[in-house]
Amino acid sequence: MKAIPLPLHAALALLLMPAPLAAQPASDPAPTEQVFVAPSGEVFRNSPGAPWPVADWFAAADIDGDKRLTLAEYQADADRYFATLDSDRSGRLEPAEIDRYEAEVLAGLPARVGPPPRGRARPDPDRPRGAGLYGLMDIRHPVKAADIDMNAHVTQAEYRAIMARRFERLDQVGRGAIRLAELPPTPAQEILAPKPSPHRN
């Protein structure tokens, strides 16, 4: 069958039609969920635009609401989380309980925050990974790292000792208390919400 040429006005109309949606430039990706890993290993999440979830952890741990987190309050909060991990109530975290935390909590953390740096196909090897990307300290496995004697178990005494060391790192001036506004931003926070004082929300 012989092709019938289109009239000139019909051909022009086809040329002036808008390009299909697939050809449109991609819009910026949706903001990434805000994630914070407390020194105890507990994970807090907030939607984009809300205060960074470090504020949720701090408010929950600040029992008397005086805007200061003392070592006693900090340890009480860590003890509470240890009890949630110690499912058999043995007073220590068995390998299966630690593995469950790794699989159900840490494995659910996003492996990357924001778009990859331009010209870099792989993640920056110097950037913290795992829980370290979302915490106040670069600790990839915050619960497993509490196994001081490296016997694959974490006793409550070991956990409390590690929590005390982490508190000392945050209480740099040795006041015996930490304030939300003085906490450093997490690496993820610096990427997604770079501000001079991100915890003042």
Side-chain angles (χ1 to χ4, degrees), residues 73-85:
E73 290 173 318
Y74 172 96
Q75 284 284 23
D77 182 70
D79 288 345
R80 173 195 57 78
Y81 191 60
F82 182 92
T84 68
L85 298 175

Side-chain angles (χ1 to χ4, degrees), residues 36 54 57-58 69 136 170 178-185 198-199:
F36 171 70
V54 63
W57 163 70
F58 194 96
L69 197 58
L136 299 170
L170 296 174
I178 55 180
R179 299 178 187 274
L180 180 63
E182 296 170 350
L183 293 177
H199 298 311

Side-chain angles (χ1 to χ4, degrees), residues 7-165:
L8 182 59
H9 68 276
L12 286 173
L14 284 173
L15 288 173
L16 295 174
M17 284 180 65
L21 289 177
Q24 299 296 323
S27 59
D28 291 335
T32 306
E33 178 187 34
Q34 298 177 351
V35 179
F36 171 70
V37 179
S40 63
E42 187 173 11
V43 175
F44 294 79
R45 298 174 186 268
N46 249 343
S47 58
W52 203 266
V54 63
D56 297 333
W57 163 70
F58 194 96
D62 181 18
I63 298 171
D64 59 10
D66 67 350
K67 312 298 183 186
R68 296 167 64 254
L69 197 58
T70 64
L71 176 59
E73 290 173 318
Y74 172 96
Q75 284 284 23
D77 182 70
D79 288 345
R80 173 195 57 78
Y81 191 60
F82 182 92
T84 68
L85 298 175
D86 183 19
S87 57
D88 64 1
R89 301 296 182 263
S90 66
R92 69 177 189 173
L93 302 181
E94 311 291 342
E97 291 168 326
I98 298 171
D99 290 345
R100 187 180 308 118
Y101 168 81
E102 295 275 329
E104 296 179 3
V105 179
L106 289 194
L109 297 176
R112 180 174 59 80
V113 177
R118 289 186 178 181
R120 186 187 297 275
R122 297 182 180 178
D124 186 345
D126 296 326
R127 180 177 291 177
R129 289 181 286 173
L133 184 58
Y134 301 97
L136 299 170
M137 292 163 268
D138 186 7
I139 305 171
R140 192 179 303 185
H141 302 278
V143 173
K144 190 179 291 186
D147 181 15
I148 297 173
D149 59 10
M150 302 182 67
N151 67 349
H153 299 81
V154 176
T155 66
Q156 188 161 19
E158 286 179 309
Y159 190 78
R160 286 178 63 85
I162 287 294
M163 291 304 114
R165 291 181 197 174

